Structures are given as structure tokens and as C-alpha cells.
Amino acid sequence: MSTSELAPGSKLRHPKFGLGMILSADESYYKIYFYNTEEIKTLARDYDGFEIEEAKKPDFPMLTQKDVEKAIREALIQTSERMPIVPLGGKWIGGKVVILPGDEDLQNKEIPIDTFFHKVVMVREKLRVLEQNINNHPKLDDEDRVHLQQYITRCYGSLTTFNVLFAYKEDQFKGSGVKES
């Protein structure tokens, strides 16, 4: 086994620092605790002067910090782009939202309704993710969860005005039971 393929827990002998144990590894370096000097040194994994005293093989492929960062970035991209397809009500397709200012000297604001609808759906999805995070958070007790859940329910209730845009009732916002028309 090559000295550059060792897992944490492996023991190496260095010509200058003596016997040491690998504490962690990244793509290029080992952090090694040396017993004689009681120091932790960061040394290149491909250093030729190591002697293997006790080799430990990784139980799984070695992950570097860059690997973890890449995996997190990919997961975030996948979850943010994996929004369910929620159809806009047929009568609204091709329409636009027009916001008229109170002052007639100011310009109106027009937004394609599908853009506006997409933003409403994104708010709904973010609320759902927040709800899941609250329900699964290890440091929140049941009382805290219920308290925070009430705010989310109120947010859903405030957004029921936009239910008219949804093609299907099951996609609509549901508040605390008070119906808006």
C-alpha cells in the first residue's frame, strides 16, 4: 500500500519526527500527531520518507473538503431546481399582473403572470422546506416546533389570496381554516 493512500489511524515513521499517527487527510496533506514531540504536523501525503508502521485502509473512499463542498453545492442546486411542476390556471395563461400606482403621474408595473405565479410557487416551496427543517431540527422541543409552525400556517393563510391562480385545488395554499375568496 502506498503511503499516500492511508486512512486516519494509520501509523507512520518519519525520519526526523519519529512515530506518528494520521489524524486526518485531505487531497494533498496528512495531519499527523507525532508521539515524541507531542506535536501535530501537516505533511504532504506523497512524501517518500515515510515508513508505514501500521496501515489502515479507508472504509469508504477518502473525501476531501473539496469533495464535501462539491456534494453540498450539487445537492443545493438539485433541490432548488427540483421544484414540482405546478400548473397555472388556464384562464391566466398569457396574462399579466398590472400594478397601478395611486399617483397617475407614475408608471404602471406589468409582470407576466407566469413569472408572478412562479414566484408565488417558489415562496410556497421555501415555506415547505422551512417547515421540514423545523420539524426535523434536533435542538427544538415540541413547544418550539408548534410555536414556529403556527407562523408558517399564518403565512400560508396570508397567501391564500393567490389560490385563484392555481389550476388544481391540491396545489393551493391552506391556512388555519379561515377561507378567503
Side-chain angles (χ1 to χ4, degrees):
M1 170 175 260
S2 162
T3 58
S4 66
E5 299 170 351
L6 298 171
S10 298
K11 293 185 180 172
L12 299 171
R13 185 166 300 282
H14 186 277
K16 180 177 177 184
F17 305 118
L19 184 64
M21 181 175 68
I22 298 173
L23 300 175
S24 65
D26 66 19
E27 59 191 19
S28 304
Y29 298 96
Y30 286 131
K31 280 198 191 263
I32 305 171
Y33 172 78
F34 288 99
Y35 298 102
N36 293 346
T37 60
E38 297 183 351
E39 291 180 294
I40 297 172
K41 303 269 186 197
T42 302
L43 301 172
R45 288 174 65 152
D46 60 359
Y47 175 66
D48 288 334
F50 288 131
E51 252 181 68
I52 299 173
E53 294 283 329
E54 182 183 330
K56 301 236 182 203
K57 291 183 182 179
D59 294 339
F60 45 85
M62 293 280 284
L63 293 176
T64 65
Q65 185 169 345
K66 283 185 182 180
D67 293 331
V68 173
E69 288 170 357
K70 181 180 175 190
I72 290 170
R73 192 170 24 263
E74 287 174 3
L76 289 172
I77 288 169
Q78 287 175 358
T79 56
S80 68
E81 291 179 357
R82 200 176 52 203
M83 189 182 81
I85 296 171
V86 177
L88 177 65
K91 66 182 176 181
W92 304 110
I93 293 174
K96 57 185 158 189
V97 174
V98 180
I99 302 172
L100 303 172
D103 183 347
E104 291 181 9
D105 294 334
L106 299 175
Q107 278 189 316
N108 298 344
K109 174 73 175 176
E110 292 186 6
I111 306 165
I113 201 161
D114 58 331
T115 300
F116 180 75
F117 181 68
H118 176 73
K119 291 182 184 294
V120 170
V121 171
M122 288 296 293
V123 168
R124 185 191 71 174
E125 294 309 309
K126 303 267 189 240
L127 281 170
R128 286 181 175 174
V129 170
L130 178 60
E131 193 171 22
Q132 290 172 354
N133 287 340
I134 288 169
N135 289 334
N136 295 320
H137 197 285
K139 293 186 179 178
L140 294 175
D141 60 23
D142 288 341
E143 185 178 336
D144 291 332
R145 283 188 182 95
V146 168
H147 182 72
L148 292 170
Q149 186 67 40
Q150 288 174 348
Y151 284 106
I152 292 173
T153 301
R154 288 183 200 129
C155 289
Y156 285 138
S158 298
L159 294 166
T160 58
T161 302
F162 301 111
N163 283 347
V164 68
L165 300 172
F166 290 89
Y168 302 111
K169 192 168 184 78
E170 61 266 15
D171 291 327
Q172 295 179 348
F173 292 101
K174 291 160 191 63
S176 59
V178 178
K179 298 242 181 194
E180 284 188 37
S181 36

